[in-house]
Amino acid sequence: MAAEGGGKETNDIKTQFTTREGVYKLLTLSEYSRPNRVPFNSQGSNPVKVSFVNVNDQSGNGDRICFNVGRELYFYIYKVPETCAPAPAADLSKPIDKRIYKGTQPTCHDFNPLTATAESVSLLVGFSAGQVQLIDPIKKETSKLFNEERLIDKSRVTCVRWVPGSESLFLVAHSSGSMYLYNVENTCGTTAPHYQLLKQGENYAVHTCKSKSARNPLLRWTIGEGALNEFAFSPDGKFLACASQDGFLRVFGFDAAELHGTMKSYFGGLLCVCWSPDGRYIVSGGEDDLVTVWSFLDCRVIARGHGHKSWVSVVAFDHCTTSVDDGDPPSEFSGSDEDFHEQIHFAAGRDRANSSQSRLSKRNSTDSRPVSVTYRFGSVGQDTQLCLWDLTEDILFPHLPLSRARTHTNVMSATSPPTTGQTITTVSITTTTNSSGTNANPGNGIIDSTFIANSVSKFATLSLHESRKERHEKDHKRNYSMGHISNKSSDKLNQLSSSRTAKAEAAKTLGTTLCPRMEEVPLLEPLVCKKIAHERLTVLIFLEDCLVTACQEGFVCTWARPGKVRQFSPPDW
């Protein structure tokens, strides 16, 4: 059965989709999973995550992939076949390394691209009980275990990243809301660390560890209320964007530990964050079912995107499709995610940002031809959908004449006819009501018929949706668990405190520059919005020849970019 936009369907699961570049196709024979390929029972487990690294193997196939499924961690050679050959891309029964953990589960991981070779890689793994392990899956060795006795933090590790440009420093975030800077050369000590205040600001503080000898952690950051769900370094490594359960995006100067700017979600917590390749824009997603675009230079929200029907779990920019075209080759936007991170240096990053800013400034010049600007980013969510979005000059430069139609929330009712040359785009909304007239499907998006009928002001009043929000949260905790946490009582208190604080903060910030009302910023619609999995999606990574997704069942899928595979299908088995 042919799907909308040329995609095929298998039980409503799309295996291809079309954009202006062409057709993206699922490489069904390049699927990675547990060796038995049996779907994983995801109830009570942590999200499946995927990490890549290139080891510069002389054979030309240096890509390596790591992913976690439940208590298991796998490390494989990553192969993408050039043709749809009737054979699997990898022998899943023979991973390079496989580990099964007892009493805890891996939650996240990250390779150090600076130290990766064909003989050795450094892989950090965070765990649900709070520890962080440094392993070498090629040598099958465990180098060190940090926070082994859980004296530093007892809560789940939510995100771990190597500091860009460093072979020894790494950053770890926890569901407690704290973030720690470690050095692989230092020990963690046999007693709980004592801290001294280094810097303090609005809803954040940075402490140093008081010790006579060097020990971990070097720094402790406490940020906002509730869990710190994800952080991301800017392309030049100078800034750090943090997405928190209290709904705030906070951007810090990393070295100076100074707050650069903040943004508030429209509703609920923020779960994910990413930077544009030139560092000018940050996209976040979370429990409001929206993707929000924030300008780093202006420190304000410039657009929101509505397409998901549940929480947004991952956002990512496509470095290969993003372009700034003024006649010069868009060299800074070519290559894979790994190439981008491996080649990054602080000075080079500044040059890239300055170059992009200079080229973008030509858009305002009357003596030069217009610059065509397109940022492509994607998102996946717990609704099992993949969305692709384009951020164009119409949104980036709203004060200039429009070259194409802009989409606003205040035209959704379509009560006034469009002006000449303008296209009115409406959002398709499906709701189900029960006998009492209330929404019977609270998890399927925050924009509903009430919002359309009663305008944005009533939707913006969070108190009108309080009971619906509570039902939504209960349903999510039951069906979309963020994973088992060993200290449940502590986390429940943190969640309760975070919920109360979030309600108070939402009332204060709605309608301000921190959180504009829906009609105050453009509303983007996705170029592509396709259901591609049976279980919630937890991974979206853009590579040079493909994009990679993964769902909570433990299946890691590769989607070939247009023209990257031969135009014929594999035989039916």
Side-chain angles (χ1 to χ4, degrees):
M1 178 179 177
E4 180 183 356
K8 298 179 181 179
E9 291 188 3
T10 303
N11 298 326
D12 295 328
I13 302 298
K14 303 299 184 292
T15 58
Q16 66 182 49
F17 55 86
T18 303
T19 66
R20 67 171 183 272
E21 303 91 51
V23 180
Y24 288 74
K25 293 187 176 183
L26 176 65
L27 301 180
T28 56
L29 299 176
S30 291
E31 182 181 82
Y32 284 76
S33 66
R34 297 192 298 170
N36 54 17
R37 294 185 182 272
V38 174
F40 176 69
N41 181 5
S42 61
Q43 293 297 326
S45 65
N46 290 285
V48 173
K49 298 292 185 180
V50 174
S51 297
F52 285 98
V53 70
N54 190 288
V55 298
N56 299 315
D57 192 347
Q58 294 181 353
S59 65
N61 188 18
D63 290 328
R64 303 290 182 265
I65 182 174
C66 173
F67 58 93
N68 61 288
V69 182
R71 297 185 297 113
E72 304 164 7
L73 186 73
Y74 293 94
F75 181 70
Y76 284 98
I77 295 176
Y78 180 68
K79 296 180 180 179
V80 179
E82 296 180 358
T83 63
C84 296
D91 185 356
L92 297 184
S93 65
K94 298 179 180 178
I96 298 176
D97 194 13
K98 171 186 175 181
R99 302 184 182 218
I100 302 178
Y101 296 93
K102 296 181 180 180
T104 187
Q105 296 181 7
T107 59
C108 50
H109 33 83
D110 190 43
F111 287 104
N112 192 329
L114 297 180
T115 60
T117 67
E119 294 76 30
S120 176
V121 293
S122 296
L123 176 66
L124 290 170
V125 184
F127 291 92
S128 58
Q131 301 93 339
V132 178
Q133 192 177 49
L134 176 62
I135 66 175
D136 187 334
I138 293 181
K139 294 181 178 179
K140 300 184 179 180
E141 295 177 352
T142 300
S143 300
K144 290 185 177 181
L145 183 60
F146 301 92
N147 192 29
E148 181 176 6
E149 302 298 328
R150 306 172 68 206
L151 298 173
I152 296 174
D153 201 304
K154 292 180 171 60
S155 65
R156 173 172 50 93
V157 176
T158 56
C159 186
V160 60
R161 293 279 187 273
W162 291 97
V163 174
S166 175
E167 297 184 2
S168 59
L169 299 179
F170 63 94
L171 202 58
V172 181
H174 288 258
S175 61
S176 63
S178 294
M179 183 169 60
Y180 303 89
L181 179 65
Y182 286 81
N183 188 325
V184 295
E185 305 298 332
N186 295 350
T187 63
C188 292
T190 57
T191 59
H194 296 279
Y195 297 103
Q196 179 178 341
L197 181 64
L198 176 65
K199 184 162 293 188
Q200 190 171 16
E202 185 177 359
N203 291 318
Y204 85 96
V206 183
H207 295 79
T208 59
C209 184
K210 293 175 60 178
S211 177
K212 295 181 179 179
S213 59
R215 62 162 290 178
N216 286 315
L218 304 179
L219 294 176
R220 182 186 72 176
W221 299 58
T222 53
I223 300 174
E225 299 289 339
L228 177 54
N229 290 320
E230 189 175 41
F231 63 82
F233 283 98
S234 62
D236 62 5
K238 287 185 171 183
F239 293 89
L240 187 71
C242 300
S244 296
Q245 189 60 37
D246 61 6
F248 278 89
L249 168 72
R250 297 176 177 88
V251 182
F252 298 92
F254 182 61
D255 291 337
E258 292 181 348
L259 185 64
H260 170 79
T262 60
M263 183 273 290
K264 177 68 172 60
S265 69
Y266 202 82
F267 173 83
L270 287 181
L271 304 178
C272 51
V273 63
C274 68
W275 291 79
S276 65
D278 57 4
R280 293 174 61 90
Y281 302 99
I282 297 173
V283 171
S284 61
E287 296 174 0
D288 55 9
D289 305 351
L290 303 171
V291 293
T292 303
V293 185
W294 190 78
S295 170
F296 175 79
L297 297 178
D298 298 332
C299 293
R300 66 180 181 89
V301 174
I302 62 170
R304 291 190 178 102
H306 177 257
H308 286 284
K309 299 177 182 179
S310 188
W311 298 1
V312 180
S313 51
V314 181
V315 288
F317 273 89
D318 184 350
H319 303 83
C320 299
T321 307
T322 295
S323 63
V324 180
D325 184 10
D326 60 353
D328 297 329
S331 58
E332 62 263 42
F333 299 120
S334 63
S336 67
D337 287 353
E338 287 71 39
D339 294 336
F340 184 84
H341 290 293
E342 288 174 8
Q343 296 172 4
I344 196 167
H345 295 86
F346 291 173
R350 287 194 296 270
D351 292 341
R352 277 196 296 272
N354 292 338
S355 173
S356 296
Q357 184 174 354
S358 174
R359 296 167 69 188
L360 286 168
S361 67
K362 293 181 182 180
R363 187 65 173 84
N364 296 321
S365 175
T366 57
D367 59 355
S368 63
R369 70 180 183 84
V371 178
S372 176
V373 183
T374 302
Y375 292 87
R376 168 70 58 80
F377 65 93
S379 59
V380 295
Q382 299 188 352
D383 56 1
T384 71
Q385 291 192 129
L386 164 69
C387 293
L388 296 182
W389 315 79
D390 269 1
L391 184 63
T392 64
E393 67 267 22
D394 301 345
I395 303 299
L396 302 175
F397 308 105
H399 59 286
L400 296 175
L402 301 181
S403 61
R404 60 178 68 88
R406 287 179 64 194
T407 304
H408 292 269
T409 54
N410 58 2
V411 301
M412 289 174 56
S413 62
T415 55
S416 58
T419 58
T420 303
Q422 184 182 20
T423 301
I424 297 298
T425 306
T426 60
V427 178
S428 176
I429 306 294
T430 302
T431 58
T432 304
T433 57
N434 55 28
S435 58
S436 64
T438 59
N439 188 356
N441 195 10
N444 286 346
I446 62 167
I447 300 181
D448 58 12
S449 57
T450 304
F451 167 75
I452 297 174
N454 299 330
S455 186
V456 179
S457 60
K458 183 168 283 189
F459 170 70
T461 307
L462 298 180
S463 61
L464 294 178
H465 298 267
E466 182 175 354
S467 61
R468 179 176 164 214
K469 168 181 173 289
E470 292 173 353
R471 291 197 305 272
H472 175 83
E473 289 181 343
K474 290 179 180 177
D475 181 68
H476 179 90
K477 291 175 183 177
R478 180 171 62 252
N479 297 316
Y480 301 113
S481 170
M482 292 297 290
H484 171 74
I485 304 171
S486 57
N487 54 336
K488 294 181 180 179
S489 59
S490 175
D491 279 354
K492 286 181 179 179
L493 291 174
N494 288 337
Q495 291 173 0
L496 180 61
S497 174
S498 176
S499 176
R500 291 174 177 173
T501 304
K503 290 179 181 179
E505 291 293 340
K508 296 178 183 178
T509 60
L510 190 62
T512 68
T513 55
L514 288 177
C515 181
R517 297 182 184 275
M518 292 297 290
E519 74 272 21
E520 294 175 342
V521 294
L523 182 67
L524 305 176
E525 292 188 63
L527 300 174
V528 171
C529 189
K530 301 294 183 183
K531 178 181 175 67
I532 63 170
H534 290 288
E535 270 286 347
R536 63 189 188 271
L537 292 163
T538 58
V539 172
L540 175 61
I541 300 174
F542 290 97
L543 303 178
E544 184 175 2
D545 295 330
C546 59
L547 61 92
V548 176
T549 62
C551 70
Q552 195 56 22
E553 286 184 310
F555 297 118
V556 181
C557 298
T558 298
W559 302 76
R561 292 183 185 270
K564 295 300 182 180
V565 294
R566 292 184 184 176
Q567 300 300 311
F568 62 86
S569 301
D572 294 330
W573 295 100

